[in-house]
Amino acid sequence: MMYIDHTPALIALTILAALCVITMIAIGIKVGGELSRPAHRAVESAPHDLPAEPVVLQNTVNGMVELVSGWLIRGTPGMGVVLLLHGLRNDRSQVLGRARFLFQAGYSIMLIDLPAHGESSGERITFGYREAEGVKATMHYLAETFPSEKYAVIGVSLGAASLVLSRLSPAPSAVVLESMYPTIEDAITRRLQKRLGPLGSLLTPIFLWQLPIRLGITADQLRPIANLPALHSPVLIISGAEDRHPTVAETQCLFESANQPKELWIVAGAAHIDLHAHNPKEYEARVLAFLGKYLQSRN
């Protein structure tokens, strides 16, 4: 019987497997760097139909001075103030459509660039963790500027996560959370699958491994669903019926984790898109009814 030496084949397979692992790690590190890369850009002047005042806030975080850039639009006294927070890799201009109908309804509006976005400072996007510091600095400014007003916050995607992770105290009088991820694991897995296909989820552990090294945070610090029970504000949770990050099931879990009073709106036909632009008439009617219930009440 002839003896066949399989050693060369096994060595070749071992080398191939090692090369595959090394390649996956390299891709994961590259993707991690791209996802956390800051999204700085110059923001065009505010539209002429909105009387916006440029605002630059100074915020000290871990001994470092950071700048938060935004616009303040003064509405009718006594109506309330709404802070608008944009999504990942966007800036304050993303929420101008919301600012317009809210201003027309009489609200004062604050739009900001989250840290590491637009004209605000920041070396890395941290998926809501350090962006939350920008939210807190802005709310402190609004409390000083409008001491007798009630406040609401509308957060889109990253903006929603930043709000929940900020653990604002006192809590806003009303909160709208749009397309918010439950955990960073869910968010990154969905994005990697969208970019690289089903095998993209294999890179999620590599991305999570980078968080402490690249950003100085852990996955446990990026779990909005775990922070929702600490948010003692009336909340309206909105997401698209066709959204894949978060899915409808994930949004339902977020809704179950939120405190009462709470409302849920799953927007028919919408994916991970601008939900106001998708159906402006219904969006405006629902959001104005929700804000009016809690910002104009005498309680």
Side-chain angles (χ1 to χ4, degrees), residues 124-206:
R124 285 284 177 183
I125 293 171
T126 60
F127 311 100
Y129 183 75
R130 293 198 180 91
E131 291 81 358
E133 296 298 326
V135 175
K136 287 190 280 189
T138 304
M139 289 300 291
H140 180 73
Y141 165 79
L142 291 176
E144 290 185 337
T145 307
F146 301 95
S148 60
E149 296 279 8
K150 290 186 175 182
Y151 310 95
V153 184
I154 299 177
V156 178
S157 190
L158 173 66
S162 302
L163 166 65
V164 173
L165 293 175
S166 70
R167 289 178 168 264
L168 290 175
S169 181
S173 295
V175 165
V176 179
L177 302 176
E178 298 184 33
S179 309
M180 185 177 75
Y181 74 82
T183 70
I184 192 62
E185 293 95 330
D186 296 319
I188 293 304
T189 297
R190 301 286 184 266
R191 286 189 175 275
L192 291 175
Q193 288 174 338
K194 182 178 180 181
R195 180 179 295 193
L196 303 172
L199 294 178
S201 59
L202 296 176
L203 300 178
T204 300
I206 300 172

Side-chain angles (χ1 to χ4, degrees), residues 216-235:
I217 55 180
T218 67
D220 287 341
Q221 293 171 297
L222 296 173
R223 297 178 58 85
I225 193 169
N227 284 264
L228 261 179
L231 178 63
H232 296 286
S233 300
V235 61

Side-chain angles (χ1 to χ4, degrees), residues 50-286:
L50 291 174
E53 307 169 17
V55 175
V56 178
L57 307 176
Q58 288 192 357
N59 184 37
T60 302
V61 181
N62 297 327
M64 301 284 290
V65 176
E66 297 186 350
L67 302 180
V68 178
S69 296
W71 292 319
L72 175 63
I73 304 168
R74 298 177 186 269
T76 303
M79 279 292 295
V81 184
V82 183
L83 171 61
L84 297 178
L85 303 172
H86 62 78
L88 181 68
R89 309 205 72 82
N90 276 286
D91 57 59
R92 74 193 96 145
S93 62
Q94 183 195 26
V95 289
L96 276 171
R98 293 166 179 77
R100 283 192 174 92
F101 83 80
L102 291 167
F103 178 66
Q104 290 170 2
Y107 292 103
S108 295
I109 317 295
M110 184 79 184
L111 307 83
I112 65 167
D113 298 334
L114 289 167
H117 292 76
E119 296 178 337
S120 293
S121 62
E123 295 182 356
R124 285 284 177 183
I125 293 171
T126 60
F127 311 100
Y129 183 75
R130 293 198 180 91
E131 291 81 358
E133 296 298 326
V135 175
K136 287 190 280 189
T138 304
M139 289 300 291
H140 180 73
Y141 165 79
L142 291 176
E144 290 185 337
T145 307
F146 301 95
S148 60
E149 296 279 8
K150 290 186 175 182
Y151 310 95
V153 184
I154 299 177
V156 178
S157 190
L158 173 66
S162 302
L163 166 65
V164 173
L165 293 175
S166 70
R167 289 178 168 264
L168 290 175
S169 181
S173 295
V175 165
V176 179
L177 302 176
E178 298 184 33
S179 309
M180 185 177 75
Y181 74 82
T183 70
I184 192 62
E185 293 95 330
D186 296 319
I188 293 304
T189 297
R190 301 286 184 266
R191 286 189 175 275
L192 291 175
Q193 288 174 338
K194 182 178 180 181
R195 180 179 295 193
L196 303 172
L199 294 178
S201 59
L202 296 176
L203 300 178
T204 300
I206 300 172
F207 176 87
L208 299 178
W209 165 75
Q210 295 176 71
L211 287 174
I213 301 169
R214 196 185 290 276
L215 305 179
I217 55 180
T218 67
D220 287 341
Q221 293 171 297
L222 296 173
R223 297 178 58 85
I225 193 169
N227 284 264
L228 261 179
L231 178 63
H232 296 286
S233 300
V235 61
L236 169 60
I237 295 177
I238 310 176
S239 190
E242 307 302 322
D243 203 337
R244 293 295 174 264
H245 53 95
T247 63
V248 171
E250 289 168 346
T251 301
Q252 291 281 1
C253 289
L254 288 168
F255 181 70
E256 292 170 6
S257 298
N259 294 307
Q260 293 283 5
K262 57 185 176 182
E263 300 177 23
L264 176 66
W265 178 29
I266 302 298
V267 184
H272 199 75
I273 58 174
D274 186 327
L275 297 177
H276 173 242
H278 176 75
N279 189 343
K281 185 175 181 180
E282 186 173 6
Y283 181 101
E284 293 172 14
R286 284 179 178 264

